[in-house]
Amino acid sequence: MSWQTEVDELNLRRQFADGLGGADAIQRHHEQGRLTIRERIAELVDPGSFQEVGKLTGQGSYQDGKLVGVTPAPYVMGLAKIAGRPVAIGGEDFTIRGGTSWSGDRKKGGQGGFVEDLAHHYHIPLVNLIDGVGGSVASAKRRGHAVFPGVHGFETSVSLLGMVPVVCAVMGTAAGGPAGRAILSHWSVMVRGSSQIFAAGPPVVQRSLGQKIDKEELGGAGMAVDTAGTIDNAAPSERECFAAIRRFLSYMPQNVWELPPAIPCDDPVDRQDEALLSIVPRDRRQPYNMRRLIGMVVDQGSIFEIQPTFGKTLITSLARLNGKVVGVIANDPMIYGGAMDARAARKQTHFMEVCDTFHIPIVMFVDVPGFMVGREAEAATTLREGMRSVFVGLQATVPILTVVIRKCYGMAGMGTTDKNGLDLKLAWPSAEWGSLPIEGGVAAAYRREIEAAPDPVERERQIEAELRALASPFRTAEAFGVEDIIDPRETRPTLSRFIDAVQGKLQTMVGPKLKPGVRP
Amino acid sequence: MATIEVRVEVTGLVWEVVARPGDRVAAGDPLMILESMKMEIPVVTEREGTIKEILVTEGMPVSEGQVVALMER
């Protein structure tokens, strides 16, 4: 006697699971331009690699003790591969009660779910495909009591952030627990136009504050990505969202005990782009295209920009130099002359922590006139956010290579160097530095002398000219105050040599990093 | 005919207005130059079109996100 009868039942139960919330619910979901959770996983992972866990979970219905159907638990998850490497992956099934939580003996997904345990115990990246609004008040009626917040807490979600790469993709509408879960990630993405995220949706907002606002305005990409920086990147479609997730993970190690994957580089390491010689205008009031500059230095096609539409005075990108992963941080002179504002500081803080955690050396392309000034900047906590990013930079133990392109001033300038390490500072001939840009500081420092002069305007101009002559980067290089000045065209070969040379050290630094102290 | 709003990305002063109503412009063309944080920041269009109206004058302060020009496709 074989177990064929039971295996037939197993297959029947698997069919019920594949049916999700039923044909009608799936059709309504598709009409919104959205894929089902099973379609999403299939699109994202390597073909045939999904090893589902918990496919039999749900609510069975029986007639005379015989199974007639199962409403699946609204969460699909398991083990899969992305670019040949294992990941834990899961997501809510919106076609069943809008992906609300389900009460089995063990939670499948979200915070404290099996999918988190899988990433945690196997030291593999976690990918959350979020499409749910968390608990429903209706569950209290089912259980007979109200659940205390945190029964399924965020403790594993938090622990994972120091251990394995965590990617959260907001695929539909996320509120409550799933929205909170989305934030506890190294990198997050949403779909512009069809996904939203908020602490609570429009009905709760109207009830609490009387505000009438639709869900796209409250938590679409315009708010969550561009304005608030709650989510890092926006993709134009679900498919492009999956491509971005695969791309992000291609720069990441599997866990903090490994180094990020180096790949063969077919872009010549000694490539010297002629355009670098003239990319910085001689007129220091004129900005230039920093993204173009970065593109000429790093491996061709290797740039993946994080938070391109938030904190735009700063550019943060993952990239490669001679095939090795680097984190690029650059000021954008086109936006506020590259000044560090609160948004840019927050962006830099998070990006540096991600790089430090996963042993990704940082390359700084510096053109910063200082912290952003003015009433709005002070109200936006520029000083505190700025010093927090300086603090986090000083806790980082990963190598930081500094290339001063033009301005490097003040406290923001301090935050661009590698004080815990070699502190290698390379400068272009266009570089200038100090505690304050000359034009801002002269009037203050020489006030009496200027006021006493017969022609104060002329005297101020004279003092500026004298100081400007002393500001030549060659004079600082004579004093070894910067380690070298390089021909801009030599930037790629020079950086590549140092990044190559430090790989051995990186190997000795693997493992989790503990960060004592209190962030300002 | 669809109206396109041109917004500025930074707070600052309008230093020079380059484009005039009726001008035909291509994507990436500067419409005006702002002075912000002691830098000359060009305000460029993201699309091609015809300038319908310039809403600011030289020396006027502008705020991040402010509409400074209207264009037609």
Side-chain angles (χ1 to χ4, degrees):
Chain A
M1 279 295 282
S2 78
W3 291 86
Q4 191 57 50
T5 313
E6 286 77 8
V7 169
D8 288 343
E9 180 175 338
L10 175 61
N11 287 329
L12 179 65
R13 287 176 180 267
R14 285 177 174 173
Q15 274 177 33
F16 290 136
D18 286 332
L20 302 173
D24 292 349
I26 291 172
Q27 194 189 334
R28 279 197 302 278
H29 194 68
H30 280 160
E31 279 166 6
Q32 308 255 313
R34 293 172 175 172
L35 300 174
T36 67
I37 180 58
R38 291 191 178 280
E39 289 163 341
R40 284 171 180 159
I41 292 172
E43 286 268 343
L44 172 56
V45 305
D46 295 352
S49 71
F50 185 45
Q51 173 68 51
E52 190 171 351
V53 178
K55 193 166 185 173
L56 306 184
T57 51
Q59 185 69 54
S61 45
Y62 298 85
Q63 255 171 20
D64 308 324
K66 192 177 168 334
L67 179 74
V68 291
V70 177
T71 302
Y75 198 92
V76 177
M77 58 91 187
L79 189 64
K81 281 186 175 173
I82 289 180
R85 301 190 296 170
V87 297
I89 184 169
E92 287 87 4
D93 177 2
F94 190 83
T95 66
I96 300 167
R97 298 195 313 272
T100 54
S101 44
W102 156 86
S103 48
D105 283 2
R106 184 176 182 182
K107 208 173 168 212
K108 290 183 79 176
Q111 66 274 20
F114 179 93
V115 74
E116 285 198 336
D117 294 341
L118 179 56
H120 194 263
H121 290 284
Y122 278 43
H123 294 178
I124 56 178
L126 172 63
V127 179
N128 284 310
L129 302 173
I130 295 169
D131 193 356
V133 293
S136 154
V137 289
S139 68
K141 201 167 170 188
R142 200 169 60 240
R143 287 196 180 87
H145 66 277
V147 174
F148 194 86
V151 163
H152 299 291
F154 288 115
E155 54 278 1
T156 308
S157 319
V158 168
S159 165
L160 284 168
L161 287 178
M163 193 180 267
V164 299
V166 177
V167 171
C168 289
V170 181
M171 306 306 300
T173 302
R181 185 66 201 81
I183 309 305
L184 296 173
S185 57
H186 295 105
W187 180 70
S188 57
V189 59
M190 67 191 288
V191 185
R192 194 176 289 279
S194 74
S195 66
Q196 299 86 26
I197 179 169
F198 22 59
V204 176
V205 170
Q206 175 148 22
R207 183 81 190 267
S208 309
L209 301 171
Q211 281 177 3
K212 268 194 181 167
I213 184 166
D214 69 47
K215 65 177 182 176
E216 184 61 26
E217 198 188 341
L218 185 64
M223 174 64 87
V225 178
D226 309 337
T227 304
T230 299
I231 296 296
D232 295 327
N233 287 49
S237 68
E238 291 203 18
R239 283 191 173 87
E240 282 154 292
C241 186
F242 303 142
I245 293 170
R246 294 178 67 95
R247 187 83 198 272
F248 175 80
L249 287 174
S250 74
Y251 297 91
M252 290 291 132
Q254 286 292 90
N255 53 56
V256 298
W257 293 272
E258 292 179 9
L259 290 189
I263 59 172
C265 175
D266 49 17
D267 187 2
V269 178
D270 55 3
R271 176 170 58 79
Q272 302 201 9
D273 225 306
E274 272 308 305
L276 288 170
L277 186 60
S278 50
I279 192 166
V280 176
R282 291 202 69 95
D283 180 348
R284 53 199 296 284
R285 288 173 53 86
Q286 283 179 4
Y288 53 91
N289 189 334
M290 181 63 94
R291 285 184 179 79
R292 196 169 151 244
L293 186 160
I294 298 166
M296 287 190 274
V297 173
V298 301
D299 294 355
Q300 242 159 18
S302 74
I303 294 175
F304 182 73
E305 190 171 345
I306 309 290
Q307 289 199 288
T309 60
F310 178 79
K312 291 169 77 174
T313 70
L314 192 84
I315 298 165
T316 50
S317 294
L318 292 165
R320 283 192 154 87
L321 269 171
N322 195 18
K324 281 99 181 169
V325 180
V326 293
V328 173
I329 299 178
N331 311 101
D332 187 351
M334 296 291 249
I335 314 286
Y336 291 118
M340 179 71 82
D341 65 7
R343 292 168 291 188
R346 232 178 78 194
K347 174 163 145 180
Q348 175 164 318
T349 298
H350 178 78
F351 187 72
M352 280 186 124
E353 284 195 321
V354 170
C355 290
D356 192 35
T357 298
F358 294 110
H359 323 297
I360 297 170
I362 294 167
V363 178
M364 293 267 192
F365 293 101
V366 182
D367 186 357
V368 65
F371 284 163
M372 185 67 197
V373 298
R375 183 202 304 270
E376 288 78 15
E378 300 299 346
T381 65
T382 302
L383 193 51
R384 180 169 285 271
E385 288 287 354
M387 286 314 293
R388 183 175 297 164
S389 86
V390 169
F391 179 95
V392 165
L394 288 172
Q395 280 198 326
T397 52
V398 81
I400 300 170
L401 301 182
T402 309
V403 185
V404 184
I405 306 298
R406 190 145 71 175
K407 296 173 188 170
C408 183
Y409 285 105
M411 295 177 288
M414 266 183 240
T416 66
T417 55
D418 187 15
K419 291 295 180 206
N420 290 326
L422 184 62
D423 201 15
L424 176 68
K425 302 176 291 298
L426 304 169
W428 283 18
S430 46
E432 48 173 293
W433 41 68
S435 56
L436 196 68
I438 286 167
E439 57 274 64
V442 168
Y446 296 88
R447 183 171 58 86
R448 284 195 188 161
E449 190 179 332
I450 290 167
E451 279 172 7
D455 183 348
V457 176
E458 177 56 24
R459 183 66 198 128
E460 184 171 342
R461 194 175 303 139
Q462 280 171 358
I463 297 172
E464 271 195 34
E466 287 163 23
L467 293 174
R468 180 97 46 221
L470 294 175
S472 160
F474 290 107
R475 298 209 184 200
T476 310
E478 281 176 24
F480 208 42
V482 286
E483 284 65 31
D484 240 322
I485 294 177
I486 56 171
D487 179 330
R489 293 167 293 192
E490 296 165 354
T491 308
R492 173 174 169 79
T494 308
L495 287 175
S496 297
R497 284 183 182 146
F498 282 97
I499 292 293
D500 283 349
V502 83
Q503 295 299 311
K505 182 203 174 157
L506 291 176
Q507 193 67 63
T508 68
M509 298 175 72
V510 295
K513 292 185 178 177
L514 291 172
K515 307 276 174 78
V518 178
R519 280 200 207 185
Chain B
M1 200 172 281
T3 299
I4 304 165
E5 294 180 333
V6 180
R7 291 170 192 273
V8 296
E9 287 200 288
V10 297
T11 298
L13 287 179
V14 179
W15 188 61
E16 189 185 354
V17 179
V18 183
R20 288 187 170 68
D23 284 0
R24 187 83 197 147
V25 292
D29 280 356
L31 302 191
M32 60 189 71
I33 315 286
L34 304 184
E35 185 183 11
S36 177
M37 294 298 284
K38 300 191 191 302
M39 297 287 285
E40 296 163 19
I41 310 287
V43 178
V44 298
T45 64
E46 286 174 15
R47 307 211 196 138
E48 63 168 346
T50 305
I51 305 291
K52 194 172 151 194
E53 196 179 349
I54 301 283
L55 303 169
V56 292
T57 55
E58 287 170 11
M60 196 184 263
V62 291
S63 305
E64 197 178 310
Q66 186 175 331
V67 179
V68 291
L70 300 177
M71 289 172 47
E72 279 174 342
R73 299 192 68 174

